[in-house]
Amino acid sequence: MTSDGVVVDEAIRAAWDSYRVLEKRTSAKERQEAQQRVKAAVEAYGREEVARGTVFLVGVLTGYLIAEQSGGEDRLDPLSDLIPAVIRRLPAFEMADPAQVPMVTGVLMAAAMGMDTVAWRNRFGQIPPEEALVHSFVLWLLADLFDSLIGRPGAIDQMMRETFDSMAAEHS
C-alpha cells in the first residue's frame, strides 16, 4: 500500500475498468479487456490498492460534479442533493451490502468537503471486499449522474479513457 492519498496509476486505471465492466454500453470485447486489466492490477498490486483506486476516483468524480455545477442555478448541493441521490440508488445493486453504506457515505462526504478521499479512508484500515464492491457501485452511479447532467451518455468514460491514454503516453 502506498502512503497517504497516493495510489498506483495502474490501480486507478483498474478501478475505472471496474466501472467499465459494470457499464452496459461497454462492448463485450472491451469488457473482457477491462476484466483482464483489473485481474492484472490485482495480481500486481493487490485488491486493496485497486479498492483505494476506486476511492480515489469517487473523490475525483464527486469533486468534478461539484465543480461542474458551481455557479449554475440548478446547482447540485453535495449534502442535500448529490450524496443522498447516490446513496438512495445503491439498493438497485443487489450485491450492495447495506452495512457498507456508512463508510461509502463518509467517502462521499470527505470528497464533498474537498478532502483527499484516499487519505481519509486510510484512517479506518483496510478496505474489505464487500466495501470495495459498494465503492465500485458508487463510482458507476457518479459517472451515470455526470453523463445524465450533461446529456451525453458515455461522456465521462470517454474523458477518463483519454486521460488514461495520455498518462500512458507520458510514461512511455
Side-chain angles (χ1 to χ4, degrees):
M1 181 166 81
T2 54
S3 63
D4 300 326
V6 179
V7 181
V8 175
D9 288 351
E10 291 85 355
I12 296 169
R13 173 70 194 248
W16 189 254
D17 282 329
S18 296
Y19 156 80
R20 300 202 72 231
V21 169
L22 289 172
E23 177 51 52
K24 62 185 173 287
R25 287 185 296 266
T26 304
S27 72
K29 180 179 185 280
E30 289 177 321
R31 181 173 286 111
Q32 186 175 22
E33 290 168 356
Q35 287 171 322
Q36 289 170 344
R37 282 190 301 269
V38 171
K39 185 177 186 278
V42 167
E43 287 172 1
Y45 304 102
R47 182 200 54 75
E48 170 79 8
E49 190 68 4
V50 174
R52 292 174 76 245
T54 307
V55 168
F56 172 80
L57 288 175
V58 165
V60 169
L61 258 77
T62 301
Y64 200 72
L65 280 162
I66 293 168
E68 271 300 295
Q69 295 287 306
S70 63
E73 301 220 351
D74 296 335
R75 187 176 180 282
L76 274 179
D77 178 83
L79 301 179
S80 63
D81 299 325
L82 177 67
I83 295 169
V86 169
I87 298 303
R88 270 196 303 272
R89 290 183 60 198
L90 275 176
F93 294 92
E94 288 180 22
M95 294 175 64
D97 177 1
Q100 306 310 315
V101 171
M103 188 59 79
V104 297
T105 303
V107 169
L108 284 166
M109 293 286 291
M113 295 186 321
M115 298 170 72
D116 179 326
T117 52
V118 177
W120 184 88
R121 177 57 190 83
N122 282 349
R123 298 185 327 200
F124 300 97
Q126 286 202 326
I127 301 172
E130 309 80 36
E131 180 188 335
L133 184 61
V134 179
H135 286 300
S136 293
F137 297 151
V138 167
L139 182 62
W140 185 91
L141 289 166
L142 290 168
D144 186 58
L145 179 60
F146 179 89
D147 287 350
S148 65
L149 286 172
I150 64 167
R152 287 189 22 231
I156 192 70
D157 184 41
Q158 180 182 349
M159 186 176 79
M160 293 298 285
R161 287 192 293 159
E162 288 169 2
T163 301
F164 289 123
D165 290 347
S166 70
M167 286 169 59
E170 285 175 18
H171 293 322
S172 57

